[in-house]
């Protein structure tokens, strides 16, 4: 089996093209200009990235925990998972035990579907925690088996959060 073309190293059989004095000086000038422009873009990008991150950051008061295993005593072991950027669909594409549970804490709206993101609306299950009823420490446990649509398999998930709760 051959490697895809983008994984193949460049050919070493061809010698590099000769560089002239004019080409070297033009390269030096364009490299210097590129560095100045690159520095300006880097500075502007880091500032705008900070603004963008603040606007799209996941709610700090919301968390999701998956309880897919039990300890020796039969107690569900919950593991915290990172939330996606609010409003963005994430393809989960994972099987889960029929008796699995998940714990949602804080305000937000969670939507889970057995389908991938492009068909997320089909058989989607939506659970909403209002910001007036749920704070960071208010959690509720849900059993996957209570939702036939996602019992055993979650294809995609969307998390949304009121901007004032961020």
């Amino acid at each position: 089996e051959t490697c895809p073309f983008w994984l193949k190293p460049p050919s070493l059989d061809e010698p590099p093209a000769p560089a002239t004095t004019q080409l070297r000086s033009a390269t030096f000038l364009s490299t210097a200009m590129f560095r100045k422009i690159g520095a300006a873009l880097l500075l502007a990008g880091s500032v705008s990235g900070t603004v963008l991150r603040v606007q799209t950051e996941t709610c700090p008061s919301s968390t999701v925990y998956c309880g897919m295993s039990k300890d020796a005593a039969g107690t569900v072991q919950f593991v915290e998972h990172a939330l996606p950027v609010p409003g963005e669909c994430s393809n989960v594409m994972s099987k889960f035990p029929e008796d699995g549970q998940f714990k949602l804490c804080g305000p937000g709206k969670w939507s889970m579907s057995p389908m991938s993101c492009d068909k997320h609306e089909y058989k989607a299950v939506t659970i909403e925690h209002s910001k007036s009823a749920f704070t960071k420490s208010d959690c509720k446990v849900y059993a996957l088996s209570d939702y036939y649509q996602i019992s055993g398999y979650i294809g995609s998930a969307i998390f949304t959060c009121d901007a004032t709760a961020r």
Side-chain angles (χ1 to χ4, degrees):
E1 192 171 301
T2 61
C3 289
F5 71 91
W6 61 88
L7 294 178
K8 290 182 181 178
S11 174
L12 298 177
D13 296 336
E14 298 174 22
T20 65
T21 307
Q22 289 178 339
L23 183 59
R24 275 187 258 152
S25 62
T27 303
F28 174 75
L29 288 176
S30 47
T31 302
M33 286 175 46
F34 177 75
R35 286 184 182 155
K36 288 179 182 179
I37 293 170
L41 290 174
L42 186 61
L43 181 61
S46 64
V47 171
S48 67
T50 302
V51 173
L52 181 64
R53 195 176 314 115
V54 169
Q55 292 172 347
T56 60
E57 189 174 282
T58 303
C59 289
S61 300
S62 303
T63 50
V64 61
Y65 298 87
C66 292
M68 303 302 152
S69 63
K70 296 179 181 178
D71 63 12
T75 306
V76 175
Q77 300 299 300
F78 287 100
V79 177
E80 184 176 355
H81 286 272
L83 291 169
V85 174
E88 287 186 12
C89 186
S90 295
N91 281 316
V92 178
M93 305 300 203
S94 296
K95 290 183 180 182
F96 293 98
E98 296 285 331
D99 62 345
Q101 297 179 347
F102 56 97
K103 179 167 57 171
L104 305 176
C105 302
K109 182 176 169 183
W110 291 265
S111 177
M112 294 156 278
S113 170
M115 307 301 283
S116 61
C117 286
D118 52 331
K119 301 284 186 196
H120 180 84
E121 300 80 29
Y122 183 72
K123 291 189 177 183
V125 171
T126 302
I127 299 170
E128 192 161 0
H129 288 186
S130 72
K131 66 179 183 178
S132 60
F134 286 87
T135 62
K136 185 175 185 155
S137 60
D138 295 319
C139 300
K140 188 169 179 184
V141 175
Y142 299 89
L144 283 172
S145 60
D146 290 343
Y147 303 94
Y148 74 91
Q149 303 92 325
I150 57 171
S151 182
Y153 184 81
I154 296 178
S156 61
I158 299 174
F159 169 74
T160 54
C161 179
D162 187 346
T164 59
R166 290 185 196 168

